[in-house]
Amino acid sequence: AQSVTQPDIHITVSEGASLELRCNYSYGATPYLFWYVQSPGQGLQLLLKYFSGDTLVQGIKGFEAEFKRSQSSFNLRKPSVHWSDAAEYFCAVGAVNTGFQKLVFGTGTRLLVSP
Amino acid sequence: DTAVSQTPKYLVTQMGNDKSIKCEQNLGHDTMYWYKQDSKKFLKIMFSYNNKELIINETVPNRFSPKSPDKAHLNLHINSLELGDSAVYFCASSQTPRLDTQYFGPGTRLTVL
């Protein structure tokens, strides 16, 4: 069965420091991978996605992620974190079920940004 | 110019009641979804509709009944509400039901007392 693991429940980063959020997936076929962000009390906003091609993908708000098939990982990075980046981050894999897609989410990582 | 909208944003009700949550998308997408986010923030798909037809039905109690009057709308009706139904319910849509980007609504926080 498809699954996504985000091993870090919480991460605290100083403003201006770099960030890496970890995501590992389990999926039998070539995965479609996503990172979403959820600000407090808000819905989910798509940060970036990987479908195929270049394994380093750029997203909105200065985020990027790298797909590493050998490690079954899709880690999210940002070179310099801003206070407004504090939010919950979800990694997801697009899994095909009887020909149709559903998103399987990880449990999320809460990012705290310290001054 | 909201892409995926849900009403209401908050819903507080008593156990045993019946309630509905509405979802509308103006993206022209064919496929819509309902997800449930529990108190630990875990998100899980419940249903998916494509062109008004049910295509994904996860293991959800039959007290939950989705209805899609047209492909821009997907409503969720819940009968005989239970405490465990308290959660945030998210609607989403995608252009196709295949591997595609899903766009989410703002969520409806349901609290059952």
Side-chain angles (χ1 to χ4, degrees), chain A residues 32 34 36 38 41 43-44 46 49 51 90 94 96-97 99-103 105 110, chain B residues 9 33 35 37 41-43 45 55-56 58 90 97-102 104-106:
Chain A
Y32 280 28
F34 304 83
Y36 284 87
Q38 184 180 22
L44 284 84
L46 179 69
K49 61 188 179 187
F51 282 5
F90 292 93
V96 175
N97 177 22
F100 301 117
Q101 176 191 221
K102 63 177 182 180
L103 286 180
F105 284 89
R110 175 162 292 181
Chain B
K9 190 169 173 61
Y33 310 81
Y35 287 83
Q37 185 177 46
K41 300 273 188 172
F42 183 61
L43 272 153
I45 191 168
I55 57 172
I56 291 177
E58 293 288 290
F90 286 100
R98 310 294 172 188
L99 291 166
D100 203 346
T101 301
Q102 294 183 21
F104 283 77

Side-chain angles (χ1 to χ4, degrees), chain A residues 5 12 15 34 40 46 50 52 63 65 73 86-87 94:
Chain A
T5 302
T12 301
E15 191 167 15
F34 304 83
L46 179 69
Y50 171 78
S52 65
F63 285 92
S73 69

